[in-house]
């Protein structure tokens, strides 16, 4: 799995001019699921993300986690994180998981974050979404479970 974590002061997902997910302070997560990913990959991210210390403490040091600041998560499935751009100019997405694999893992990931104590809003899997965010910092962290 690949997860792009962006520390945000606010983020939202809109479909057909309707906001379907919205958070204040927290993480905007773009989640790409590889064809070989399993629940073990999701479990790794579920353990790491809520404890990722990228929020400022009282002294201005980046030392607090999502839990520490009572932040929320906006999770959006993003198959294009597995784009292969080695040949030509049109990316290939053959390594991205098919929906029958990706949807259950995406839902498992989101539910795992909820069970870990996070408030989680989501986009719509496969939907044509408009994603808006204010990247705070900016702080952007990339996780790839193949590099754990």
């Amino acid at each position: 799995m690949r997860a792009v974590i962006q520390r945000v002061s606010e983020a939202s997902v809109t479909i057909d001019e309707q906001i379907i997910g919205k958070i204040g302070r927290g993480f905007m997560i773009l989640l790409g699921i590889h064809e070989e990913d399993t629940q073990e990959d999701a479990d790794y991210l579920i353990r790491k993300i809520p404890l990722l210390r990228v929020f400022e403490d009282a002294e201005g040091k980046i030392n607090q986690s999502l839990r520490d600041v009572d932040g929320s998560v906006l999770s959006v499935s993003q198959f294009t994180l597995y784009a292969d751009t080695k040949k030509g100019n049109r990316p290939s997405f053959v390594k991205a998981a098919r929906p029958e694999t990706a949807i259950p893992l995406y839902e498992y990931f989101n539910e795992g974050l909820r069970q870990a104590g996070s408030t989680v809003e989501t986009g719509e899997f496969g939907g044509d979404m408009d994603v808006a965010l204010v990247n705070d910092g900016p702080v952007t962290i990339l996780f790839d479970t193949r590099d754990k």
Side-chain angles (χ1 to χ4, degrees):
M1 286 184 174
R2 289 186 178 151
V4 176
I5 314 293
Q6 296 175 86
R7 185 180 76 183
V8 298
S9 53
E10 62 182 79
S12 64
V13 175
T14 302
I15 297 178
D16 295 329
E17 299 182 25
Q18 297 262 343
I19 294 175
I20 65 163
K22 183 176 181 175
I23 64 166
R25 186 179 196 193
F27 289 150
M28 169 72 212
I29 301 176
L30 301 175
L31 185 70
I33 300 172
H34 188 273
E35 64 184 354
E36 296 175 0
D37 283 337
T38 66
Q39 287 184 353
E40 182 180 319
D41 295 290
D43 289 338
Y44 174 80
L45 294 175
I46 291 163
R47 283 191 308 273
K48 295 289 281 187
I49 291 170
L51 301 176
L52 183 64
R53 297 182 343 179
V54 296
F55 293 92
E56 293 180 359
D57 63 18
E59 286 87 44
K61 293 183 181 182
I62 296 179
N63 200 30
Q64 292 193 305
S65 70
L66 186 67
R67 285 184 185 165
D68 295 330
V69 301
D70 196 28
S72 300
V73 170
L74 179 58
S75 172
V76 174
S77 177
Q78 186 75 44
F79 77 94
T80 60
L81 290 176
Y82 278 103
D84 181 349
T85 58
K86 291 177 186 165
K87 292 183 180 180
N89 294 316
R90 183 174 183 207
S92 169
F93 303 106
V94 298
K95 296 295 182 185
R98 306 276 312 146
E100 55 272 12
T101 299
I103 291 170
L105 279 174
Y106 174 64
E107 291 172 351
Y108 178 85
F109 170 77
N110 293 327
E111 186 56 31
L113 288 177
R114 288 183 186 105
Q115 294 296 320
S118 298
T119 299
V120 179
E121 295 281 322
T122 65
E124 180 181 298
F125 189 94
D128 185 12
M129 298 173 275
D130 292 324
V131 179
L133 63 105
V134 177
N135 193 323
D136 179 20
V139 173
T140 303
I141 306 291
L142 176 64
F143 281 99
D144 190 326
T145 59
R146 301 222 173 312
D147 296 331
K148 58 183 170 192

